[in-house]
């Protein structure tokens, strides 16, 4: 009987501290507005908020073609308009943004031996 009493005492202390069963802040709180998160807890992410696209770079149109060789990545435009793009590398520094005009071809050296070409992105 002593174990049950001690267990209930611990559960009561945990509830009084506003802690959930896994040791994180509880989603409900007796202090504050109903439905408000407990003090110290992180707010839930808003799943219905539209994606602002901040930090996401779009790919250039398909008329800007890219390919790689051992040490370089290339881009060639067959578009009728100019685009500002850059070469994107994994495990290496991306190129600066540049404007590729119709009929132009650009190249960028591989930043390191472990870098992989991730493609072109509009700036």
């Amino acid at each position: 009987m002593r174990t049950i009493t001690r267990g209930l005492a611990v559960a009561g202390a945990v509830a009084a501290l506003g802690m959930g069963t896994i040791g994180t802040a509880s989603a409900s709180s007796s202090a504050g507005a109903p439905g408000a998160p407990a003090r110290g807890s992180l707010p839930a992410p808003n799943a219905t908020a539209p994606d602002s696209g901040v930090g996401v770079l779009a790919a250039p149109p398909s008329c800007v073609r890219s390919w790689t060789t051992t040490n370089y990545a290339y881009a060639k435009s067959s578009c009728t308009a100019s685009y500002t793009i850059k070469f994107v590398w994994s495990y290496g520094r991306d190129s600066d943004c540049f404007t590729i005009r119709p009929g132009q071809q650009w190249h960028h050296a591989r930043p390191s031996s472990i870098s992989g070409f991730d493609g072109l992105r509009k700036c």
Side-chain angles (χ1 to χ4, degrees), residues 60-67 74-85 87 98-107 120:
S62 61
C63 58
V64 178
R65 189 171 71 90
S66 66
W67 70 96
Y74 294 88
K76 183 168 183 156
S77 174
S78 60
C79 303
T80 57
S82 297
Y83 293 96
T84 304
I85 60 174
F87 292 94
F98 61 93
T99 301
I100 189 166
R101 293 177 172 74
Q104 276 189 331
Q105 178 174 318
W106 286 75
H107 70 274
L120 301 171

Side-chain angles (χ1 to χ4, degrees), residues 10-31 37-41:
V10 170
V14 168
L17 291 173
M19 303 296 283
T21 57
I22 58 171
T24 60
S26 175
S28 63
S29 173
S30 59
R39 280 183 284 163
S41 68

Side-chain angles (χ1 to χ4, degrees), residues 34-75:
R39 280 183 284 163
S41 68
L42 297 174
N46 188 356
T48 60
D51 183 19
S52 64
V54 174
V56 177
L57 299 174
S62 61
C63 58
V64 178
R65 189 171 71 90
S66 66
W67 70 96
T68 61
T69 60
T70 303
N71 293 317
Y72 292 93
Y74 294 88

